[in-house]
Amino acid sequence: MRILVSGAHGFIGSHLCERLLAGGHAVRALVSPWGVIGNLRTVQTHPNAEIVRADITDPESLRGICDDVDAVIHSAARLADWGPPQPLMETNAGGTRNLLDAATASGTRRFVLVSSVAVHRFRGFRNADPERLPRDNGTMPYARSKIAAEDLVLAWPGEGVVVRPGLWPFGPRDPQTRRVAAALKGGRLPLLGDGGRVLNTAYVGNLTLGLELAAVTPKQGGRVFVIADDGAPTWREALAEFARLIGARPPRLRLPGELVLPVATGVEALWRTFAPKAEPPLTRYRATLMLRDVHFSLIAAERHLGYRPELSWRAGMAVTVSQDPLLRPDGEARVS
């Protein structure tokens, strides 16, 4: 197949391009006009790949972008758990609408949206069905923008599929993974509560496998999948294993769960009043990550896509550290 990947220069997009090319697909890698393509070094030289630049918020720049394309995997997005809602809605919902229109104009019939489990309010759930759990995170602008994007894809007359990565996507070249490593090495990452709440991790190799299957498996229009690793590690287990691999100590500082949410609420209020353009050091969204179980069933992906994670979450972490020099025990963990 010929597959267009938006956000191709990002963490997930670049790994996805590499997987698709290795699987024999032709790839059209869509990069923003200002995007840095350092992550696409191997893609640039591949005979079955082309890199194109366009702004998903500008419909005119997308004219013809989907010509001769069999499927679109839309991973481009603006990510933020804080800030004004308009830029998020313009990029995440408006950009999705524009790319869907481009796909329709070119006769492309399959469209996979990379969404987020943040569409759900983290009330505490294990082995949840992503299609039945309400998308009730209406207070977070990022979540609202993703809900709007999902609605567009699921209502599209072609085969629109929504994929939500597990709560903690990780892998080589991921800025967030590097931030976690830097915080662990510096002893600055606390556990909230006892660290005993469970989550889905999503090693990027497993995630891109699921995205490829969503794009190539026919008759999946209207479905929603969570793609993640097997198992349900606790935050304490996952961070301890990652710390061991990067040569750091597990988190020793613990913050009482009953205090974190009130403090986060107060911090948000202060920043909203006195520093509205700055990002607060703690938000309610970040506080709830460790305080509630956030774990989804993979049964739908297994049944309808034939998805089986290639690596366990522990093996995925080991590969991540071995392939990213900024994560190794003798390396300086930082965001490049």
Side-chain angles (χ1 to χ4, degrees):
M1 296 176 64
R2 181 178 297 278
I3 300 175
L4 182 140
V5 176
S6 74
H9 55 300
F11 158 56
I12 294 174
S14 60
H15 282 279
L16 178 58
C17 289
E18 292 170 355
R19 171 175 285 278
L20 294 173
L21 290 168
H25 303 287
V27 170
R28 183 170 295 163
L30 173 55
V31 177
S32 68
W34 51 88
V36 178
I37 59 174
N39 286 343
L40 296 175
R41 291 186 182 93
T42 60
V43 176
Q44 292 180 73
T45 58
H46 198 286
N48 288 332
E50 58 175 324
I51 296 176
V52 296
R53 290 188 180 268
D55 181 357
I56 61 171
T57 66
D58 177 10
E60 189 60 32
S61 76
L62 295 175
R63 188 183 295 274
I65 202 79
C66 295
D67 287 356
D68 303 317
V69 164
D70 301 301
V72 173
I73 304 179
H74 179 32
S75 70
R78 184 184 289 268
L79 305 175
D81 65 344
W82 178 261
Q86 183 177 354
L88 290 163
M89 195 62 73
E90 288 178 349
T91 301
N92 297 343
T96 299
R97 179 186 294 107
N98 294 336
L99 198 51
L100 283 167
D101 289 344
T104 300
S106 297
T108 303
R109 298 298 299 165
R110 193 166 301 170
F111 193 105
V112 178
L113 171 69
V114 182
S115 187
S116 171
V117 296
V119 300
H120 306 289
R121 186 163 58 88
F122 298 157
R123 296 176 282 109
F125 40 79
R126 295 192 183 203
N127 215 34
D129 182 341
E131 292 189 301
R132 295 187 178 183
L133 197 69
R135 298 176 304 163
D136 53 2
N137 195 356
T139 61
M140 183 183 177
Y142 171 71
R144 292 201 304 270
S145 72
K146 281 298 192 179
I147 291 170
E150 288 188 1
D151 287 343
L152 290 166
V153 171
L154 296 175
W156 188 54
E159 290 189 47
V161 180
V162 170
V163 170
R164 300 175 191 147
L167 183 62
W168 183 8
F170 68 89
R173 303 196 298 262
D174 177 31
Q176 183 59 39
T177 301
R178 292 171 177 174
R179 290 188 187 99
V180 171
L184 284 170
K185 287 186 175 183
R188 303 188 305 275
L189 185 63
L191 285 177
L192 305 187
D194 63 0
R197 305 285 71 78
V198 300
L199 72 153
N200 297 102
T201 57
Y203 168 58
V204 73
N206 294 332
L207 176 56
T208 56
L209 168 62
L211 289 168
E212 178 186 14
L213 290 171
V216 303
T217 306
K219 299 181 180 179
Q220 300 304 314
R223 293 198 180 278
V224 177
F225 302 105
V226 167
I227 298 294
D229 307 327
D230 275 333
T234 65
W235 280 102
R236 185 174 57 248
E237 291 169 336
L239 290 174
E241 178 66 9
F242 189 50
R244 182 187 71 80
L245 290 166
I246 64 173
R249 291 183 176 180
R252 289 176 291 173
L253 178 63
R254 295 188 179 184
L255 301 180
E258 64 271 15
L259 296 180
V260 174
L261 280 177
V263 169
T265 301
V267 169
E268 284 190 354
L270 284 172
W271 256 254
R272 193 175 290 112
T273 302
F274 297 106
K277 295 185 178 180
E279 180 179 315
L282 180 65
T283 65
R284 286 182 59 84
Y285 173 77
R286 293 173 211 167
T288 57
L289 292 181
M290 287 191 194
L291 294 179
R292 304 282 188 273
D293 294 321
V294 185
H295 183 270
F296 296 86
S297 169
L298 306 183
I299 288 177
E302 294 168 353
R303 179 179 300 151
H304 297 289
L305 301 178
Y307 171 70
R308 295 289 187 280
E310 293 176 330
L311 294 180
S312 69
W313 66 269
R314 292 180 185 274
M317 283 187 176
V319 170
T320 295
V321 173
S322 70
Q323 292 184 356
D324 192 328
L326 297 181
L327 298 177
R328 294 171 192 160
D330 57 348
E332 179 188 354
R334 58 184 174 83
V335 179
S336 65

Coordinates of all heavy atoms in Angstrom, one line a residue, residues 181-259:
A181 N 13.7 10.1 32.2 CA 15.0 9.6 32.5 C 15.8 10.7 33.2 O 16.5 10.4 34.2 CB 15.8 9.2 31.3
A182 N 15.8 11.9 32.7 CA 16.5 13.0 33.4 C 16.0 13.3 34.8 O 16.8 13.5 35.7 CB 16.4 14.3 32.6
A183 N 14.7 13.2 35.0 CA 14.1 13.4 36.3 C 14.5 12.3 37.3 O 14.8 12.5 38.4 CB 12.6 13.5 36.2
L184 N 14.5 11.0 36.8 CA 15.0 9.9 37.6 C 16.4 10.0 38.0 O 16.8 9.8 39.1 CB 14.7 8.6 36.9 CG 13.3 8.1 36.8 CD1 13.2 6.9 35.8 CD2 12.8 7.7 38.2
K185 N 17.3 10.4 37.0 CA 18.7 10.5 37.3 C 19.0 11.6 38.3 O 19.9 11.6 39.0 CB 19.5 10.7 36.0 CG 19.6 9.4 35.1 CD 20.5 9.6 33.9 CE 20.6 8.3 33.2 NZ 21.6 8.4 32.0
G186 N 18.1 12.7 38.2 CA 18.3 13.8 39.1 C 17.6 13.6 40.4 O 17.6 14.5 41.3
G187 N 16.9 12.5 40.6 CA 16.2 12.3 41.9 C 15.0 13.2 42.0 O 14.6 13.5 43.2
R188 N 14.4 13.7 40.9 CA 13.4 14.7 41.0 C 12.0 14.2 40.6 O 11.0 14.9 40.5 CB 13.7 15.8 40.0 CG 15.0 16.5 40.2 CD 15.1 17.8 39.3 NE 14.9 17.5 37.9 CZ 15.9 17.0 37.1 NH1 17.1 16.8 37.6 NH2 15.6 16.8 35.8
L189 N 11.9 12.8 40.4 CA 10.6 12.3 40.0 C 10.0 11.5 41.2 O 10.4 10.5 41.6 CB 10.7 11.3 38.9 CG 9.4 10.8 38.3 CD1 8.6 11.9 37.7 CD2 9.7 9.7 37.2
P190 N 8.9 12.1 41.8 CA 8.3 11.4 43.0 C 7.2 10.5 42.5 O 6.7 10.5 41.4 CB 7.6 12.6 43.7 CG 7.2 13.6 42.6 CD 8.3 13.4 41.6
L191 N 6.9 9.6 43.4 CA 5.7 8.7 43.3 C 4.5 9.5 43.9 O 4.7 10.1 45.0 CB 5.9 7.4 43.9 CG 6.7 6.4 43.3 CD1 6.8 5.1 44.1 CD2 6.2 6.0 41.9
L192 N 3.4 9.5 43.3 CA 2.2 10.1 43.9 C 1.4 8.9 44.6 O 1.1 7.9 43.9 CB 1.3 10.8 42.8 CG 2.1 11.8 42.0 CD1 1.1 12.6 41.1 CD2 2.8 12.8 42.9
G193 N 1.1 9.1 45.8 CA 0.5 8.1 46.6 C 1.5 7.0 46.8 O 2.7 7.3 47.0
D194 N 1.1 5.7 46.7 CA 2.0 4.6 46.9 C 2.6 4.1 45.5 O 3.4 3.1 45.5 CB 1.4 3.5 47.7 CG 0.2 2.8 47.0 OD1 -0.1 3.3 45.8 OD2 -0.4 1.9 47.5
G195 N 2.2 4.7 44.4 CA 2.7 4.2 43.1 C 2.1 2.9 42.7 O 2.5 2.3 41.8
G196 N 1.0 2.5 43.3 CA 0.4 1.2 43.1 C -0.7 1.2 42.1 O -1.3 0.1 41.8
R197 N -1.0 2.3 41.4 CA -2.0 2.3 40.4 C -1.5 1.7 39.1 O -0.3 1.9 38.8 CB -2.6 3.7 40.2 CG -3.1 4.4 41.4 CD -4.4 3.9 41.9 NE -4.4 2.5 42.5 CZ -4.0 2.2 43.7 NH1 -3.5 3.2 44.5 NH2 -4.0 1.0 44.2
V198 N -2.3 1.0 38.3 CA -1.8 0.4 37.1 C -2.1 1.2 35.9 O -3.0 2.1 35.9 CB -2.4 -1.0 36.9 CG1 -2.1 -1.9 38.1 CG2 -4.0 -0.9 36.8
L199 N -1.4 0.9 34.8 CA -1.5 1.6 33.5 C -1.2 0.7 32.4 O -0.6 -0.4 32.6 CB -0.6 2.8 33.5 CG 0.9 2.5 33.4 CD1 1.6 3.7 32.7 CD2 1.6 2.2 34.7
N200 N -1.5 1.2 31.2 CA -1.0 0.6 29.9 C 0.3 1.3 29.5 O 0.2 2.6 29.3 CB -2.0 0.6 28.8 CG -3.3 -0.1 29.0 OD1 -4.3 0.5 29.3 ND2 -3.3 -1.4 28.8
T201 N 1.4 0.6 29.3 CA 2.5 1.2 28.6 C 2.3 0.9 27.2 O 1.6 0.0 26.8 CB 3.8 0.6 29.1 OG1 3.8 -0.8 29.0 CG2 4.1 1.0 30.6
A202 N 3.1 1.7 26.3 CA 3.0 1.4 24.9 C 4.4 1.6 24.2 O 4.7 2.8 23.8 CB 2.0 2.4 24.3
Y203 N 5.1 0.6 24.2 CA 6.4 0.6 23.5 C 6.2 0.9 22.0 O 5.3 0.4 21.4 CB 7.1 -0.7 23.7 CG 8.3 -0.9 22.7 CD1 9.4 0.0 22.7 CD2 8.4 -1.9 21.8 CE1 10.5 -0.1 21.9 CE2 9.4 -2.1 20.9 CZ 10.5 -1.2 21.0 OH 11.5 -1.3 20.1
V204 N 7.0 1.8 21.5 CA 6.7 2.4 20.1 C 6.7 1.3 19.1 O 6.0 1.4 18.1 CB 7.6 3.5 19.8 CG1 9.0 3.0 19.5 CG2 7.1 4.4 18.6
G205 N 7.5 0.2 19.3 CA 7.5 -0.8 18.3 C 6.1 -1.6 18.3 O 5.6 -1.9 17.2
N206 N 5.5 -1.8 19.4 CA 4.2 -2.4 19.5 C 3.1 -1.4 19.0 O 2.2 -1.8 18.3 CB 3.9 -2.8 20.9 CG 4.7 -3.9 21.5 OD1 5.2 -4.7 20.7 ND2 4.9 -3.9 22.8
L207 N 3.3 -0.1 19.3 CA 2.3 0.9 18.9 C 2.3 1.0 17.4 O 1.2 1.0 16.8 CB 2.6 2.2 19.5 CG 1.8 3.4 19.1 CD1 0.3 3.1 19.4 CD2 2.2 4.6 19.9
T208 N 3.4 1.0 16.7 CA 3.4 1.2 15.3 C 2.9 -0.1 14.6 O 2.4 0.0 13.5 CB 4.8 1.6 14.8 OG1 5.8 0.6 15.2 CG2 5.3 2.9 15.3
L209 N 3.1 -1.2 15.2 CA 2.5 -2.4 14.7 C 1.0 -2.3 14.7 O 0.4 -2.6 13.6 CB 3.0 -3.7 15.5 CG 2.2 -5.0 15.2 CD1 2.4 -5.4 13.8 CD2 2.6 -6.0 16.2
G210 N 0.4 -1.9 15.8 CA -1.0 -1.7 15.8 C -1.5 -0.7 14.8 O -2.6 -0.9 14.2
L211 N -0.8 0.4 14.6 CA -1.2 1.4 13.7 C -1.1 0.9 12.2 O -2.0 1.1 11.4 CB -0.3 2.7 13.8 CG -0.5 3.5 15.0 CD1 0.6 4.5 15.2 CD2 -1.9 4.2 15.0
E212 N -0.1 0.1 11.9 CA 0.0 -0.5 10.6 C -1.2 -1.5 10.4 O -1.9 -1.4 9.3 CB 1.3 -1.3 10.5 CG 1.4 -2.0 9.1 CD 2.6 -2.9 9.0 OE1 3.3 -3.2 10.1 OE2 3.0 -3.3 7.9
L213 N -1.5 -2.3 11.4 CA -2.7 -3.2 11.2 C -4.0 -2.4 11.1 O -4.8 -2.8 10.3 CB -2.7 -4.1 12.5 CG -1.6 -5.1 12.6 CD1 -1.7 -5.8 14.0 CD2 -1.7 -6.2 11.5
A214 N -4.1 -1.3 11.8 CA -5.3 -0.5 11.6 C -5.5 0.0 10.2 O -6.6 0.2 9.7 CB -5.4 0.6 12.6
A215 N -4.3 0.3 9.6 CA -4.4 0.9 8.2 C -4.6 -0.1 7.1 O -5.2 0.2 6.1 CB -3.1 1.7 8.0
V216 N -4.1 -1.4 7.3 CA -4.2 -2.4 6.3 C -5.3 -3.4 6.4 O -5.6 -4.1 5.5 CB -2.8 -3.1 6.1 CG1 -1.7 -2.1 5.9 CG2 -2.5 -4.0 7.4
T217 N -5.9 -3.5 7.6 CA -6.9 -4.5 7.8 C -8.2 -3.9 7.3 O -8.7 -2.9 7.8 CB -7.0 -4.9 9.3 OG1 -5.7 -5.3 9.8 CG2 -8.0 -6.0 9.5
P218 N -8.9 -4.6 6.4 CA -10.1 -4.0 5.8 C -11.3 -4.1 6.8 O -11.3 -4.9 7.7 CB -10.3 -4.9 4.6 CG -9.6 -6.2 4.9 CD -8.5 -5.8 5.7
K219 N -12.3 -3.3 6.5 CA -13.6 -3.4 7.1 C -13.5 -3.1 8.6 O -14.2 -3.8 9.4 CB -14.3 -4.7 6.9 CG -14.6 -5.0 5.4 CD -15.3 -6.3 5.2 CE -15.5 -6.6 3.7 NZ -16.2 -7.9 3.4
Q220 N -12.8 -2.1 9.0 CA -12.6 -1.7 10.4 C -13.2 -0.3 10.6 O -13.0 0.3 11.7 CB -11.2 -1.7 10.8 CG -10.5 -3.1 10.7 CD -11.3 -4.2 11.5 OE1 -11.7 -4.0 12.6 NE2 -11.5 -5.3 10.9
G221 N -13.9 0.3 9.6 CA -14.4 1.6 9.8 C -15.3 1.8 11.0 O -16.2 0.9 11.2
G222 N -15.2 2.8 11.7 CA -16.0 3.1 12.9 C -15.5 2.5 14.2 O -16.2 2.7 15.2
R223 N -14.4 1.8 14.1 CA -13.9 1.1 15.4 C -12.9 2.0 16.1 O -12.2 2.9 15.5 CB -13.3 -0.2 15.0 CG -14.3 -1.2 14.5 CD -13.7 -2.6 14.6 NE -14.6 -3.6 14.1 CZ -15.6 -4.2 14.8 NH1 -15.8 -3.8 16.0 NH2 -16.4 -5.0 14.2
V224 N -12.8 1.8 17.4 CA -11.9 2.4 18.3 C -11.0 1.4 19.0 O -11.6 0.4 19.6 CB -12.6 3.3 19.3 CG1 -11.6 3.9 20.3 CG2 -13.5 4.4 18.7
F225 N -9.7 1.5 18.9 CA -8.8 0.6 19.6 C -7.9 1.3 20.5 O -7.4 2.4 20.2 CB -8.0 -0.1 18.5 CG -8.8 -0.9 17.5 CD1 -8.9 -0.4 16.2 CD2 -9.4 -2.1 17.8 CE1 -9.7 -1.1 15.2 CE2 -10.1 -2.8 16.8 CZ -10.3 -2.3 15.6
V226 N -7.5 0.6 21.6 CA -6.3 1.0 22.4 C -5.2 0.1 22.0 O -5.4 -1.2 22.0 CB -6.6 1.0 23.9 CG1 -5.3 1.0 24.7 CG2 -7.5 2.1 24.3
I227 N -4.1 0.6 21.6 CA -2.9 -0.2 21.3 C -1.9 0.0 22.4 O -1.5 1.2 22.6 CB -2.3 0.2 19.9 CG1 -3.4 -0.1 18.8 CG2 -1.0 -0.6 19.7 CD1 -3.7 -1.5 18.6
A228 N -1.4 -1.1 23.0 CA -0.5 -0.9 24.1 C 0.2 -2.3 24.3 O 0.0 -3.2 23.5 CB -1.3 -0.6 25.4
D229 N 1.0 -2.3 25.4 CA 1.8 -3.5 25.7 C 0.9 -4.5 26.5 O -0.1 -4.0 27.1 CB 3.0 -3.2 26.5 CG 3.9 -2.1 25.9 OD1 3.9 -2.1 24.6 OD2 4.5 -1.4 26.6
D230 N 1.3 -5.7 26.6 CA 0.6 -6.7 27.5 C 0.8 -6.3 28.9 O 1.8 -5.6 29.2 CB 1.1 -8.1 27.2 CG 0.4 -8.8 26.1 OD1 -0.8 -8.4 25.8 OD2 1.0 -9.7 25.5
G231 N -0.1 -6.7 29.8 CA 0.2 -6.6 31.2 C -0.4 -5.3 31.8 O -0.9 -4.4 31.0
A232 N -0.3 -5.2 33.1 CA -0.8 -4.0 33.8 C 0.2 -3.6 34.9 O -0.1 -3.8 36.1 CB -2.2 -4.3 34.4
P233 N 1.3 -3.1 34.5 CA 2.3 -2.7 35.6 C 1.8 -1.6 36.4 O 1.1 -0.7 35.9 CB 3.6 -2.3 34.7 CG 3.0 -1.9 33.4 CD 1.8 -2.8 33.2
T234 N 2.3 -1.5 37.6 CA 2.0 -0.3 38.4 C 3.1 0.7 38.1 O 4.1 0.4 37.5 CB 2.2 -0.6 39.9 OG1 3.5 -1.0 40.2 CG2 1.2 -1.8 40.4
W235 N 2.7 2.0 38.4 CA 3.7 3.0 38.2 C 5.0 2.7 39.0 O 6.1 3.0 38.4 CB 3.2 4.4 38.7 CG 2.2 5.0 37.7 CD1 0.9 5.0 37.7 CD2 2.6 5.7 36.5 NE1 0.4 5.7 36.6 CE2 1.4 6.1 35.9 CE3 3.8 6.0 35.9 CZ2 1.4 6.8 34.7 CZ3 3.8 6.7 34.7 CH2 2.6 7.1 34.1
R236 N 4.9 2.2 40.1 CA 6.1 1.9 40.9 C 7.0 0.8 40.2 O 8.2 1.0 40.1 CB 5.7 1.3 42.3 CG 6.8 1.1 43.3 CD 6.3 0.7 44.7 NE 5.4 -0.5 44.6 CZ 4.1 -0.4 44.9 NH1 3.5 0.7 45.2 NH2 3.4 -1.5 44.8
E237 N 6.3 -0.2 39.6 CA 7.1 -1.2 38.9 C 7.7 -0.7 37.6 O 8.9 -0.9 37.3 CB 6.1 -2.4 38.5 CG 5.7 -3.2 39.7 CD 4.6 -4.2 39.3 OE1 3.8 -3.9 38.3 OE2 4.4 -5.2 40.1
A238 N 6.9 0.1 36.9 CA 7.4 0.6 35.6 C 8.6 1.6 35.8 O 9.6 1.5 35.1 CB 6.3 1.3 34.8
L239 N 8.4 2.5 36.7 CA 9.5 3.4 36.9 C 10.7 2.8 37.6 O 11.9 3.2 37.3 CB 9.0 4.6 37.8 CG 8.0 5.5 37.1 CD1 7.4 6.5 38.1 CD2 8.6 6.2 35.9
A240 N 10.6 1.8 38.4 CA 11.7 1.1 39.0 C 12.5 0.4 37.9 O 13.7 0.4 37.9 CB 11.2 0.1 40.1
E241 N 11.8 -0.3 37.0 CA 12.5 -1.0 35.9 C 13.2 0.0 35.0 O 14.4 -0.3 34.6 CB 11.5 -1.8 35.1 CG 12.1 -2.6 33.9 CD 13.1 -3.7 34.3 OE1 13.2 -4.0 35.5 OE2 13.7 -4.2 33.4
F242 N 12.5 1.1 34.7 CA 13.2 2.0 33.8 C 14.4 2.6 34.5 O 15.5 2.8 33.9 CB 12.2 3.1 33.4 CG 12.7 4.1 32.3 CD1 13.2 3.6 31.2 CD2 12.6 5.4 32.5 CE1 13.6 4.5 30.2 CE2 13.0 6.3 31.6 CZ 13.6 5.8 30.4
A243 N 14.3 2.9 35.8 CA 15.4 3.5 36.5 C 16.6 2.5 36.5 O 17.7 2.9 36.4 CB 15.0 3.8 37.9
R244 N 16.3 1.2 36.7 CA 17.4 0.2 36.7 C 18.1 0.2 35.4 O 19.4 0.2 35.4 CB 16.8 -1.2 37.0 CG 17.8 -2.3 37.1 CD 17.1 -3.6 37.2 NE 16.5 -4.0 36.0 CZ 17.1 -4.6 34.9 NH1 18.4 -4.7 35.0 NH2 16.5 -4.9 33.8
L245 N 17.4 0.3 34.3 CA 18.0 0.2 33.0 C 18.9 1.4 32.7 O 19.9 1.3 32.0 CB 16.9 0.1 31.9 CG 16.2 -1.3 31.9 CD1 14.9 -1.2 31.1 CD2 17.1 -2.4 31.4
I246 N 18.5 2.6 33.2 CA 19.3 3.8 32.9 C 20.3 4.1 34.0 O 21.0 5.1 33.9 CB 18.3 5.0 32.7 CG1 17.6 5.4 34.0 CG2 17.4 4.8 31.5 CD1 16.8 6.7 33.9
G247 N 20.4 3.2 34.9 CA 21.4 3.4 36.0 C 21.1 4.4 37.0 O 21.9 5.1 37.6
A248 N 19.8 4.5 37.3 CA 19.3 5.5 38.3 C 18.6 4.7 39.4 O 18.3 3.5 39.3 CB 18.3 6.5 37.7
R249 N 18.4 5.4 40.5 CA 17.6 4.9 41.6 C 16.1 5.0 41.4 O 15.7 6.0 40.8 CB 18.0 5.6 42.9 CG 19.4 5.3 43.4 CD 19.6 6.0 44.8 NE 20.9 5.6 45.3 CZ 21.4 6.1 46.5 NH1 20.6 6.9 47.2 NH2 22.6 5.8 46.9
P250 N 15.3 4.1 41.8 CA 13.9 4.2 41.7 C 13.4 5.5 42.5 O 14.2 5.9 43.4 CB 13.3 2.9 42.4 CG 14.5 2.0 42.4 CD 15.7 2.8 42.5
P251 N 12.3 6.0 42.2 CA 11.8 7.2 42.9 C 11.7 6.9 44.4 O 11.2 5.8 44.9 CB 10.4 7.4 42.3 CG 10.4 6.8 41.0 CD 11.3 5.6 41.1
R252 N 12.3 7.8 45.2 CA 12.3 7.6 46.7 C 11.3 8.6 47.3 O 10.7 8.3 48.4 CB 13.7 7.8 47.3 CG 14.6 6.6 46.9 CD 16.0 6.9 47.4 NE 16.6 8.0 46.7 CZ 17.8 8.6 47.0 NH1 18.4 8.1 48.1 NH2 18.3 9.5 46.3
L253 N 11.1 9.7 46.7 CA 10.2 10.7 47.3 C 8.8 10.3 46.9 O 8.4 9.9 45.8 CB 10.5 12.1 46.6 CG 9.6 13.2 47.1 CD1 9.7 13.5 48.5 CD2 9.9 14.5 46.2
R254 N 7.9 10.4 47.9 CA 6.5 10.1 47.8 C 5.6 11.2 48.3 O 5.9 11.7 49.3 CB 6.1 8.8 48.5 CG 6.8 7.5 47.9 CD 6.3 6.3 48.5 NE 7.0 5.1 48.0 CZ 6.7 3.8 48.3 NH1 5.7 3.6 49.1 NH2 7.3 2.8 47.7
L255 N 4.7 11.6 47.4 CA 3.8 12.7 47.8 C 2.4 12.1 48.1 O 1.9 11.3 47.4 CB 3.6 13.7 46.7 CG 4.9 14.4 46.2 CD1 4.6 15.3 45.1 CD2 5.6 15.1 47.3
P256 N 1.8 12.4 49.3 CA 0.5 11.9 49.7 C -0.5 12.2 48.6 O -0.7 13.3 48.2 CB 0.2 12.5 51.0 CG 1.5 13.0 51.5 CD 2.3 13.4 50.3
G257 N -1.3 11.2 48.2 CA -2.3 11.3 47.1 C -3.3 12.3 47.5 O -3.8 13.1 46.7
E258 N -3.7 12.3 48.8 CA -4.8 13.2 49.2 C -4.5 14.7 49.1 O -5.3 15.6 49.2 CB -5.3 12.9 50.6 CG -4.3 13.1 51.7 CD -3.4 11.8 51.9 OE1 -3.4 10.9 51.1 OE2 -2.7 11.8 53.0
L259 N -3.1 15.0 49.1 CA -2.7 16.4 49.0 C -2.4 16.8 47.6 O -2.4 18.0 47.3 CB -1.4 16.6 49.8 CG -1.6 16.3 51.3 CD1 -0.2 16.5 52.0 CD2 -2.6 17.2 51.9

